[in-house]
Amino acid sequence: MLLGREFYQGALSEPLFVLGPLGIHVTASAVKRLLIGFPSPPSLITWATIPILMTLPIHFATHRLYPSIPDPPINALSPSELDYEYVKFGLQTWPWRNTLLYLVLVAGTATHAVEGLRVMIRVWQPNAALPKEWGWKRWSTVAAVVGFTVAGILTLKGETLIMTSRAASRISSAWEQSLVYRL
């Protein structure tokens, strides 16, 4: 997502391409569960939702809401300030918390997406049999996504921060708006 930020991070594009579809998905899922209930036992796609619901609000708040606070000392960080340096600052200042939150969010999202694909195949093509190798392929896909995320995190943690002390102070203040990073 960080690489494609310039495509989705805008006054019109972010609600249209990120928040809108996410809101529709969550609303449709909630309405479905209210109408027909949860499967018993809960499916993997349902279990994968739990870590997403726990980490996505923290991620959204620390990467979008808090940086846009117009009051000092944050003074509304511009989209250009929410680049690799912002993420590197968070990873280097709170390495274990940020690494854990990113990995839980990515692993939950990847698992939810892969399981969701399986559900869509069953709905759209009810008579189609999933290939035998589907089991190991879906888990290797999740493992690859998580592995690439780990590689990216390790790379960013090892890079030198390139920012002024004023920028670091503003960015630190944005992160510390969250209780998770104030501790």
Side-chain angles (χ1 to χ4, degrees):
M1 292 295 287
L2 186 60
L3 292 174
R5 256 192 168 152
E6 56 274 355
F7 298 113
Y8 72 82
Q9 190 178 46
L12 181 63
S13 59
E14 188 168 25
L16 190 62
F17 297 133
V18 179
L19 302 177
L22 183 62
I24 290 169
H25 180 71
V26 170
T27 303
S29 299
V31 167
K32 178 181 175 184
R33 292 298 161 218
L34 287 172
L35 293 176
I36 66 171
F38 287 92
S40 181
S43 63
L44 184 55
I45 195 168
T46 303
W47 284 111
T49 305
I50 295 168
I52 298 169
L53 291 176
M54 290 173 26
T55 56
L56 188 60
I58 298 167
H59 180 79
F60 184 76
T62 56
H63 289 73
R64 300 301 296 142
L65 293 181
Y66 299 144
S68 65
I69 294 174
D71 304 324
I74 299 169
N75 297 326
L77 295 167
S78 71
S80 65
E81 292 174 293
L82 297 175
D83 60 0
Y84 280 119
E85 297 307 310
Y86 185 84
V87 175
K88 284 192 315 191
F89 184 90
L91 282 168
Q92 291 178 10
T93 308
W94 300 279
W96 290 107
R97 271 177 266 189
N98 259 326
T99 300
L100 180 65
L101 284 169
Y102 281 130
L103 291 180
V104 168
L105 179 61
V106 168
T109 303
T111 303
H112 187 78
V114 167
E115 287 299 304
L117 178 62
R118 190 168 77 148
V119 170
M120 288 190 303
I121 290 171
R122 282 192 306 217
V123 169
W124 292 343
Q125 299 178 349
N127 298 326
L130 293 172
K132 287 182 182 179
E133 60 273 351
W134 174 258
W136 70 266
K137 281 188 177 180
R138 71 182 174 174
W139 292 115
S140 61
T141 301
V142 171
V145 169
V146 172
F148 284 123
T149 302
V150 168
I153 287 171
L154 292 174
T155 300
L156 289 176
K157 280 171 125 177
E159 289 185 358
T160 304
L161 278 172
I162 304 170
M163 65 176 61
T164 65
S165 59
R166 176 160 160 59
S169 172
R170 292 172 64 212
I171 288 171
S172 179
S173 296
W175 281 99
E176 289 172 356
Q177 293 297 309
S178 171
L179 181 63
V180 173
Y181 297 102
R182 255 186 269 154
L183 302 174

